[in-house]
Amino acid sequence: MIENGWNQFEIGSVLRPFSGEVSDVSVIQPEDRLYSASNSFSVSVADWRIEKPLFKKELCIDCQFCWIYCPDMSIISRDKKMIGVDYDHCKGCGICVQVCPTTPKALLMFPEQADEEIELAQWPKKETQETKEN
Amino acid sequence: MSQVKTKNLKNFSTSADRFEGSNLLCPGCAHSIIVREVLNATNDHLILGASTGCLEVCTAVYPHTSWDVSWIHIGFENGSSAIAGAEAMHKALKNKGRLKQPDLTPKFVTFGGDGATYDIGFQWISGCFERGHNMMYVCLDNEVYANTGGQRSSSTPIGASASTTPAGRISYGEKRNKKDIMAIMAAHGAPYVAQVAPNKWRDMVAKVQKGFSIEGPVFINAMSACTTEWKFAPEDTIAISDLATESLVFPLYEIIDGTKLNITYRPKNVLPVRDYLGAQGRFKHLFTKQYEYIIDEWQSRVDAKWEYLQRREDACV
Ligand SMILES: Cc1ncc(C[n+]2csc(CCOP(=O)(O)OP(=O)(O)O)c2C)c(N)n1
Ligand code: SF4
Ligand code: SF4
Ligand code: SF4
Ligand SMILES: [Mg+2]
C-alpha cells in the first residue's frame, strides 16, 4: 500500500504500523518490534537538527527527567538506566539538556557536525556549570 | 486493568512507547509530551481518536502513521464522537457476545486542540458527555489555533497577541477572558474532570490513571506550551510550563462528580504572573508603559481564581 500515491489508495484501507502479528506493544521495546515501512519510526528526522545532544554516561544519575520530557521518544532508557540518544528521531530541541539536573550536566548540546569523541574528552568540569532546579 | 508502575520516574521509564518519532510536530512541542504521559500510564489496549489540529496533522502524514495502536481521525469537530462511536460499538459487540477477546478492557481516548474543544467541536463533546460514554477526552490546550497559523480561540488569554488579535499601537491583543472549560465540563455532571500540565508528570499520570479507572466520560484539560505560537525557544518548553504552574496561571485541580473540587498542586513559592508573561514573545508588548496595566489586572485575576478554588475546596462543593 505504501507504494500507492495518496490518491490511489482504496477507501477503507488501513495503514499498519507493524508487519505481521503483534501481540502486545505495551510491553515490547522498539528493538524487538517489527516496524512496517509505513510507521514513521522507519523514517529519520536527523536532518532537522542544527544541534545535537551528546551524553556523558559517567555524570548521569539516571533520574529519567530527560526520558519523560523528550517530546520525540529519543532518550533510550532500559532497565531504569539512561543508555543514550536515538539520533534517527531526535529533532535537537534541547529539552533533555535543559532538564538534566547534574553538575556538570550529563547531556549538552553541540553543533550537529561536532565530533563526539573530542567533545566527550573536553566535557566541562564541575565549577563551570550551574545546577538546574527541577 | 493493568496499571503501569509510576511510583517514581525510574519505574515509569521502563514503559514502552506506543507513539512514534519522526512525526512532524515542531521540535520541543508539548503535545507530544502530553501524549506520551497519557499513553504510557496504562498497559491496556488503546483505541485512540483525534480532532484535526497539530497533533493529528503531524502524526498521520500519508503514507506514514506515528501510532502503534488503533487510531481514527474524521474531522475537526468530531474527535469526541468518533471515539464515542467506537466505544458504543465495542459495548454492543460485547453484549452480543461477538468480541474475540471479551475480557480485554481497552481504553477509549481522544485528543483535540483548544480550537476543537473550546470552540468548534464543543457541541459534539457536550453530546458525548451527556450520553455518558466510557471515554477520556484530552484537550491539548495551547490557547490558539496553532495548526492554521495562530488564530485566537476562546481559550486564548487576555493580552496575548494572536494572528487575528494582533497587538499594536491601538490594541494589546486578545480582549476576552479565557473560557472556563473546567467549570463547563464539570457542569455536565462528568464523574471526573481534571486540569494537568506535562511538567508535573506525577500529578498528570495519577489523574490519567484515575480517569482510566472511572466508568463514564472523563475530561482532561492539558496545558500545552507551544514554542511556535507562544514564541519561546524549543528547549524552554518545560521551563515555561513550570512558570505557568508555579505562578498559578495554570492551577492544577480536579472536580469529582461535577462538584467536589480538589487542588492537587500547591507551589511552595508562588511566582509573579509577570515572570510567566515575560518569558513569552506573545506577551512582549505588555511590557510597555501603555499596556503594563494589563499585567496588574492579570495578577488580580489569577489571585482571585486561586482564592475561589481554595474556597471551593474548603467548602467541599
Ligand atoms: C470544520 C473545520 N474548520 C476549520 C478547519 C481548519 N483547521 C484545521 S486545524 C485548525 C486549527 C486547530 O486548532 P486547535 O484545535 O487549537 O489545535 P492545535 O493545532 O492548536 O493543536 C483549523 C482551524 C478544519 N479542518 N475543519
Ligand atoms: S534534543 Fe530534544 S528530541 Fe533530542 S533527545 Fe533531547 S529532548 Fe529528545
Ligand atoms: S536527565 Fe541527565 S542525569 Fe537524568 S537520566 Fe537524563 S542524562 Fe541522566
Ligand atoms: S505549532 Fe505549536 S502545537 Fe503545533 S506542532 Fe508546533 S509547537 Fe506543537
Ligand atoms: Mg490549539
Side-chain angles (χ1 to χ4, degrees), chain B residues 156-234:
Chain B
T156 306
I158 292 182
S161 184
S163 66
T164 47
T165 53
R169 200 164 39 79
I170 51 161
S171 172
Y172 54 78
E174 173 63 44
K175 295 208 167 47
R176 278 167 294 266
N177 206 356
K178 185 179 167 95
K179 200 189 258 182
D180 188 354
I181 198 76
M182 290 284 288
I184 296 168
M185 295 318 296
H188 283 71
Y192 193 61
V193 172
Q195 185 145 280
V196 301
N199 53 313
K200 295 289 165 209
W201 71 269
R202 196 193 301 269
D203 177 77
M204 168 151 174
V205 172
K207 285 171 177 161
V208 170
Q209 291 184 332
K210 195 164 177 178
F212 282 149
S213 71
I214 283 169
E215 197 52 37
V218 168
F219 183 84
I220 306 277
N221 197 49
M223 178 188 66
S224 186
C226 170
T227 157
T228 305
E229 296 300 339
W230 295 15
K231 301 187 171 59
F232 60 81

Side-chain angles (χ1 to χ4, degrees), chain B residues 19 46-51 55-57 59-60 65 67-74 83 109 111:
Chain B
F19 177 59
L46 286 163
I47 297 165
L48 304 182
S51 290
L55 182 72
E56 170 271 325
V57 163
T59 61
T65 174
W67 303 94
D68 295 340
V69 296
S70 307
W71 181 90
I72 185 172
H73 162 253
I74 301 174
I83 214 65
V109 185
F111 295 93

Side-chain angles (χ1 to χ4, degrees), chain A residues 29-42:
Chain A
Q29 292 292 355
E31 55 275 22
D32 299 319
R33 298 177 180 177
L34 284 172
Y35 285 108
S36 77
S38 53
N39 195 310
S40 69
F41 185 88
S42 306

Side-chain angles (χ1 to χ4, degrees), chain A residues 29-30 33 35 40-41 66-78 84-91 93, chain B residues 15-23 25 29 31-37 39-40 55 59 66-68:
Chain A
Q29 292 292 355
R33 298 177 180 177
Y35 285 108
S40 69
F41 185 88
C66 57
W67 173 80
I68 185 94
Y69 296 130
C70 171
D72 288 287
M73 291 61 74
S74 297
I75 296 293
I76 309 170
S77 291
R78 297 290 179 268
V85 177
D86 170 353
Y87 291 108
D88 285 333
H89 302 103
C90 165
K91 293 174 184 161
C93 67
Chain B
S15 60
D17 283 299
R18 288 182 275 181
F19 177 59
E20 297 293 354
S22 293
N23 54 59
L25 293 162
C29 177
H31 280 5
S32 178
I33 307 174
I34 295 164
V35 167
R36 292 187 63 215
E37 290 181 18
L39 269 54
N40 289 11
L55 182 72
T59 61
S66 302
W67 303 94
D68 295 340

Side-chain angles (χ1 to χ4, degrees), chain B residues 6-19:
Chain B
T6 53
K7 205 175 75 228
N8 57 47
L9 205 42
K10 283 189 196 226
N11 275 327
F12 196 28
S13 74
T14 59
S15 60
D17 283 299
R18 288 182 275 181
F19 177 59

